[in-house]
Amino acid sequence: MASAPRFGVNYTPSRGWFHHWLDFDLDEVRADLDSIAALGLDHIRVFPLWPLFQPNRTLIRPRAVEQLVALADAAGERGLAVNVDGLQGHLSSFDFVPAWTTTWHRRNVFTDPDVTDGEAAYLRTLTEALADRPHFLGMTVGNETNQFSGDPHPDPDLITEQQAEGWLRKMVGACEAGAPGRMHLHASYDAAWYVDGHPFTPAHSARIGAVTAVHSWVFNGTAQRHGPTGVATEQHAAYLIELSKAWADDPHRPVWLPQVGAPAPHIPEERAAAFTAATVRNALDCPDVWGVTWWSSHDVDRSLADFPELEYGLGLLTNDRQVKPAGAAFAAAADELRQSGRPARARTTALVLDDAGAGGKDRSVCAPGGGYFEAWMRLAADGARPACVLAGRTGDAEYLAVRGIEELVTPGRLG
C-alpha cells in the first residue's frame, strides 16, 4: 500500500477516442496528458486495442508496442504513473477482439490453448517493453473481460468457475513473468459480485492478482432505485470496496477503484460534480484503498457515431481539454484527501454475508434491490460505516480484530 491514496483517470484520447492508435500522434497525446497533469493527478490507465496490437496470433506489431512505450514515457515526463490494460477487449459498449478468435476462426478466448498461449505472449510482450520504466505501475489483464463469459453478451464464450480461475492465473502469471514485482491484476465488471452463477467470482477478484479491482457504475439499478442523491448511489463504490474485502484472504489486501464515473441521465449533469466529490470521499473512507481512477479523462467526440448516449459526456475534461465541473470536483477532492494524510478509520460494525450462497448462485442478494445490499445501505444511512464479513469468518476472533470489527449485524436483524 502507498502511504497516500492515488488519484488518476482512464485516459480517453480527445482526438479519435481509442482509434487514435490507427493515427498515433504523440503531440496530441502530450497535449492530453498536459491537461490531465494540470488537474494534479498522479496516474493514468491506458488502453491499447488488442486487434491492432496483435492482428495475428503470432504477430505482435513492434511499431504498436513502440507507440505504447512512447505514450507511457510521455506520461512519465509529466509525473504520471501508468497502468496498461491489456486485452481490449471491451470499451464503452464496443468489443475489440482479433479476427483469429471469431467467425471462421471461432475459438473460446478463455479455454482454447492456442488462443490463451497467444494472449499470454501478448501480455508478456507489453510488460517486458515497459518493465524498465520506473513509472510503470503494472498490467491489468483486460478491461471487464468477464463480460465475454456469459449473459448479457450476445455471443459469449461459456466457461466454468474453474476455467475462469485457470485463465486468470495464466494471464496474471504472464504479466508477472514480463515485469516481476509490479502491480499486476485483473478487473471484472460487477457481474462478478452481483450475478447468480457468473463464472468469474468474488473470490477470483479478491484473491488473484496484486490488488482487488472493483468497477462502480450506478446505472446498474442503484440510481434507478435510489435516485441521484440517494445514500446508496453516493455510497455504491464504498459498498463494492467493502464487499470485496469480505472475500479477501488478506484482511488488509489493497483495493483499487480503477473505473467509476457519473453517467447521465442517471446522474444529471448539474449533479455530476457533487456526485463525484461524494463518491471519492466515501470510497476513501474505506481502509486499504490504493486509489481511485475516474472514467474518463476526456469526453468522447460527438462526431463519432453509435455510442450509447451516456458514454459521450463522462470525461473530466471536454474534447478541447477544458476542465468540467466534475473535473474540478475530482481534483479538489483528490487534493483534500491527499493532503489530509490520514488513513481511513477501521469500520467497527460489519454486516454478515452468507458466503455459501453469495459466492455462487445467490449473488443477487448483494446486488441493488437484493436483501444484503439494501440492509447495508440502511446501516450506511444511519451513519454506521458498515464493513462486510463472511459468515464463515464470524468465529475467527483474530481476523475480526485485525480488521477492527467489534459488532456483527445480520440482515435479518435489520428486518
Side-chain angles (χ1 to χ4, degrees):
M1 277 290 292
S3 58
R6 308 291 295 265
F7 297 93
V9 288
N10 293 273
Y11 173 42
T12 304
S14 63
R15 303 289 183 268
W17 194 63
F18 297 107
H19 306 300
H20 83 134
W21 295 110
L22 291 165
D23 301 291
F24 189 75
D25 185 330
L26 191 55
D27 288 336
E28 288 283 353
V29 168
R30 288 173 175 140
D32 285 345
L33 296 177
D34 285 337
S35 65
I36 292 169
L39 291 175
L41 306 182
D42 58 61
H43 70 274
I44 58 173
R45 189 168 167 234
V46 177
F47 300 86
L49 290 186
W50 182 20
L52 302 184
F53 278 64
Q54 191 182 24
N56 182 276
R57 184 165 58 84
T58 57
L59 171 62
I60 301 166
R61 293 176 52 238
R63 181 60 181 145
V65 177
E66 290 171 5
Q67 290 171 340
L68 174 63
V69 173
L71 190 159
D73 285 346
E77 291 164 1
R78 288 153 178 80
L80 296 168
V82 176
N83 167 269
V84 176
D85 211 280
L87 296 170
Q88 297 326 311
H90 179 80
L91 291 166
S92 301
S93 83
F94 291 96
D95 286 348
F96 297 93
V97 291
W100 46 273
T101 69
T102 62
T103 60
W104 299 104
H105 295 267
R106 183 71 167 85
R107 291 176 284 189
N108 191 302
V109 298
F110 301 111
T111 60
D112 184 277
D114 288 339
V115 173
T116 60
D117 284 349
E119 292 166 340
Y122 171 59
L123 293 173
R124 181 166 180 165
T125 298
L126 297 188
T127 50
E128 286 176 342
L130 292 162
D132 64 346
R133 267 55 177 186
H135 56 283
F136 174 50
L137 292 169
M139 180 72 69
T140 303
V141 166
N143 183 57
E144 300 185 346
T145 47
N146 64 312
Q147 64 93 26
F148 288 103
S149 69
D151 294 337
H153 195 277
D155 185 25
D157 291 337
L158 300 177
I159 53 172
T160 66
E161 290 181 13
Q162 293 73 26
Q163 289 169 326
E165 178 172 349
W167 182 79
L168 287 170
R169 293 194 182 280
K170 180 173 182 175
M171 296 304 115
V172 173
C175 298
E176 180 64 22
R182 300 300 176 98
M183 192 177 76
H184 304 304
L185 67 148
H186 65 98
S188 291
Y189 88 102
D190 62 19
W193 309 98
Y194 292 163
V195 174
D196 297 339
H198 187 70
F200 288 79
T201 71
H204 294 158
S205 289
R207 298 171 190 171
I208 300 174
V211 300
T212 301
V214 294
H215 289 188
S216 175
W217 289 103
V218 297
F219 54 60
N220 64 356
T222 302
Q224 293 93 324
R225 183 181 181 88
H226 292 275
T229 63
V231 169
T233 304
E234 295 187 345
Q235 294 255 12
H236 183 256
Y239 168 72
L240 274 172
I241 290 166
E242 290 301 323
L243 184 64
S244 80
K245 290 177 68 64
W247 293 96
D249 290 330
D250 175 1
H252 290 301
R253 177 176 165 91
V255 184
W256 181 15
L257 183 59
Q259 196 176 123
V260 58
H266 311 285
I267 305 299
E269 183 177 355
E270 64 274 13
R271 181 69 192 166
F275 169 83
T276 300
T279 295
V280 173
R281 292 190 180 101
N282 287 330
L284 268 296
D285 190 41
C286 300
D288 306 307
V289 175
W290 181 86
V292 179
T293 310
W294 203 258
W295 189 280
S296 56
S297 63
H298 299 80
D299 284 343
V300 176
D301 191 333
R302 285 191 173 272
S303 68
L304 296 173
D306 300 327
F307 286 82
E309 178 60 29
L310 67 85
E311 296 285 352
Y312 285 102
L314 291 171
L316 297 179
L317 300 116
T318 64
N319 285 122
D320 56 359
R321 307 185 181 104
Q322 299 302 303
V323 180
K324 296 165 61 178
F330 185 74
D335 184 61
E336 169 196 327
L337 291 162
R338 191 186 289 120
Q339 294 299 324
S340 73
R342 295 190 301 272
R345 294 178 292 117
R347 292 181 169 232
T348 57
T349 299
L351 189 66
V352 178
L353 175 63
D354 178 7
D355 45 321
K361 296 188 180 301
D362 297 321
R363 270 174 269 179
S364 54
V365 300
C366 298
Y372 187 84
F373 180 99
E374 300 299 333
W376 194 96
M377 293 303 173
R378 287 199 295 277
L379 283 171
D382 290 339
R385 298 181 66 248
C388 303
V389 65
L390 300 182
R393 292 277 201 177
T394 56
D396 187 338
E398 180 179 357
Y399 167 82
L400 297 177
V402 170
R403 289 192 61 191
I405 295 170
E406 300 171 0
E407 179 187 19
L408 299 174
V409 181
T410 63
R413 175 177 149 191
L414 297 177

